[in-house]
Amino acid sequence: MPRTTVLSYESARRRRGLTLLAVIAVLVIIAFIISVNTGYIRLTPQELLNTMLGKGTAKQELILFDFRLPRIVISLLIGAALAVSGAVMQGVFRNDLADPGILGINAGAGLMVMLLISFYPSTSAAPVFLLPVIAFAGAGFTAAMIYLLAYKRHEGITPIRLLLTGVAVAAGISAAMIVLTLRLDPEKYQFVATWLAGSIWGTSWKFVLSLLPWIMVLLPYVIYKARVMNVLSLSEQTATGLGAAVNKEQFRLLAAAVGLAAASVAVSGGIGFVGLVGPHLARRLVGPKHQLMLPASALVGALLVITADTIGRWILQPSEIPTGIVVAVIGAPYFLYLLARTKS
């Protein structure tokens, strides 16, 4: 194929990818507007605009600024973080089934958060800004354990062995969490039950501020490493031949992925499948090159979580369905579909 034809094809594909990114961004904005107006107490568009401009009543400002906006912002942030975390794991492990929830990373982070909170008299007394750090320690230890258990000399890590190891470790951690709940008082037990269901429980601006530094540092870093991830997606021998420091880059990217997942878990609980579905849909839309795929994953993940949270708050008003359950309704069938297609 002539070089000019190849360049023309690549240029057209890039333009299509950027157009789709813009479309997904518009869908995120639409979902944001709908979510702001979803709840037991409705705000008309005019009331919403007046409140945003500082002309609303005290009640309207309380509903919008203290309850809804922090939760919506957190939904967007954790959706983007979990999806990008999953995209990194899929690229580094060359495993389409990799996801921080399925592999047990979320469970490891959640166990440490649960242990921290159990030492405080109430869940609200726990140090908000320490939660992501503690979650990162738990997630990092879990990731290292899964890697060591799944690694086999002369074979490396096969997709199915990694998956089964992650599921087994996640099951063990979940069992430990259930045993620990037997020692909790009713308030903390209710919190743990809510966390396990994947409810966005950190719904104040303090939790947004505790999550934001992790997102602002790690998300741009991963996107900056997009070209490196393109190389790592090839075979290890090819990546080494192209001059990539494979082990070093894999460690750095996995640390960033674990950090994104852990910080999200610290404020949102065990929301699974976002890191699985987000990258897959992004890859289908914009192609496998990580320069476009990673931003697309972030946008798709944000759209998925904010949509799931909105549905969960709307469908059984005034009660609500945990966001993790709504996401699982979408993600679990897709995971089974991918599992059926995986050959090794």
Side-chain angles (χ1 to χ4, degrees), residues 20-322:
L20 287 171
L21 278 179
V23 170
I24 302 170
V26 170
L27 291 176
V28 171
I29 294 172
I30 293 172
F32 177 89
I33 295 171
I34 294 173
S35 185
V36 166
N37 198 35
T38 299
Y40 184 64
I41 299 176
R42 305 296 293 271
L43 298 176
T44 66
Q46 184 63 44
E47 290 173 338
L48 184 61
L49 180 61
N50 288 338
T51 307
M52 294 290 287
L53 295 175
K55 299 177 182 179
T57 65
K59 181 179 179 181
Q60 290 169 345
E61 290 182 355
L62 178 69
I63 292 170
L64 180 62
F65 294 114
D66 290 352
F67 294 118
R68 290 191 187 166
L69 275 183
R71 179 168 183 160
I72 292 169
V73 171
I74 285 175
S75 297
L76 293 171
L77 291 177
I78 64 173
L82 289 173
V84 171
S85 176
V88 171
M89 291 183 182
Q90 289 171 19
V92 170
F93 288 128
R94 306 180 192 92
N95 183 353
D96 289 344
L97 299 175
D99 165 76
I102 296 170
L103 295 182
I105 307 301
N106 289 357
L111 177 61
M112 293 301 292
V113 171
M114 176 184 165
L115 288 172
L116 177 67
I117 289 177
S118 66
F119 285 103
Y120 286 83
S122 68
T123 55
S124 60
V128 172
F129 293 94
L130 186 59
L131 289 176
V133 179
I134 295 297
F136 178 72
F141 177 78
T142 304
M145 182 168 58
I146 292 170
Y147 184 89
L148 291 174
L149 291 174
Y151 183 83
K152 195 171 183 180
R153 192 175 181 183
H154 304 307
E155 292 183 22
I157 298 178
T158 62
I160 290 298
R161 187 160 60 242
L162 178 69
L163 174 67
L164 294 177
T165 303
V167 170
V169 170
I173 293 174
S174 298
M177 292 179 69
I178 292 173
V179 171
L180 289 172
T181 57
L182 301 177
R183 302 175 59 87
L184 299 178
D185 58 50
E187 179 196 352
K188 292 178 181 178
Y189 177 83
Q190 182 62 40
F191 162 78
V192 172
T194 303
W195 186 93
L196 289 172
S199 178
I200 298 176
W201 63 278
T203 54
S204 71
W205 290 110
K206 287 193 304 182
F207 288 93
V208 175
L209 292 176
S210 72
L211 177 61
L212 205 55
W214 295 76
I215 305 296
M216 292 179 66
V217 172
L218 297 178
L219 209 57
Y221 173 76
V222 170
I223 294 175
Y224 171 73
K225 289 288 186 179
R227 293 183 182 276
V228 175
M229 288 196 62
N230 289 337
V231 176
L232 294 179
S233 297
L234 306 172
S235 67
E236 187 168 337
Q237 292 82 1
T238 304
T240 303
L242 291 173
V246 175
N247 292 334
K248 187 180 294 184
E249 294 293 353
Q250 283 180 338
F251 177 80
R252 291 172 178 172
L253 285 165
L254 285 175
V258 169
L260 288 170
S264 300
V265 168
V267 299
S268 71
I271 298 178
F273 295 112
V274 178
L276 177 75
V277 177
H280 276 274
L281 292 179
R283 201 175 290 114
R284 286 176 177 269
L285 289 172
V286 302
K289 285 194 173 181
H290 288 84
Q291 288 92 332
L292 287 177
M293 199 272 279
L294 289 173
S297 296
L299 289 172
V300 171
L303 179 62
L304 178 60
V305 174
I306 193 175
T307 302
D309 184 57
T310 304
I311 292 172
R313 287 188 286 120
W314 166 75
I315 198 167
L316 290 179
Q317 291 183 7
S319 300
E320 65 178 59
I321 301 173

